[in-house]
Amino acid sequence: MDRKPARVRIVDAAHDLMLDIGLARTTTKQIAKAAGCSEAALYKYFANKEELFVTVLGERLPKLGSLLGRLLTEGAGNSSRTVEENLTDIAREAALFYEQSFPMAASLYAEPQLKRRHEEVMREMGTGPHRPIQGLDAYLRAEQQAGRISAEADTYAAASLLLGACAQRAFAYEMSPDRKPPQPADVFAAGLARTLLGGIAPRG
């Protein structure tokens, strides 16, 4: 049987290790060993662990960023889908994304020096946890201009509320005894989208 390409094995190994022991404790040496290659081979594909982390988020976790990008590309006011349907999709992907990424990144908070370095590299790469909020805010502003969101609505606040609720769901139930939210992601997403839209939909 053919082996997977080295890059695929590296990303797979990074995903498994980061999910199992956290980003802070995962080293490039461990990733290379698990992928069956040398550290030198790993660095042919990735400049550092942070770049590898971003790749894992983009290629192995639910596609929150690409969904937001697609909604913006397709344009607001798309009559084939309602704002509620779009917000439900976003909430579902966000809930699943944070559910998987929270255990990876949480370990950084126990090591302030490593967390600062990680944040510096993420800033240099032009990415970070603020990007989904910016993307959702841009989508909501576009829907506002199309008349499908109230002109008085604070789109940044709405984006923060939706994504903050998804992140909090991951945080709260990661700490719970059975580590399982009371609602499936689909039910949670539909309720969250419906409730949020109740506050920002056009009146009358």
Side-chain angles (χ1 to χ4, degrees), residues 141-158:
R141 279 188 279 111
E143 290 287 16
Q144 194 174 48
Q145 291 169 4
R148 302 209 300 177
I149 295 289
S150 169
E152 289 75 37
D154 183 331
T155 57
Y156 180 79

Side-chain angles (χ1 to χ4, degrees), residues 18 33 38 41 68 71 76 98 105 107 112 116 134 138 143 145 150 157 170 174 184:
M18 289 174 183
K33 182 178 179 182
S38 65
L68 289 168
L71 289 172
Y98 291 124
S107 59
R116 282 193 297 272
Q134 293 176 338
E143 290 287 16
Q145 291 169 4
S150 169
E174 176 71 16

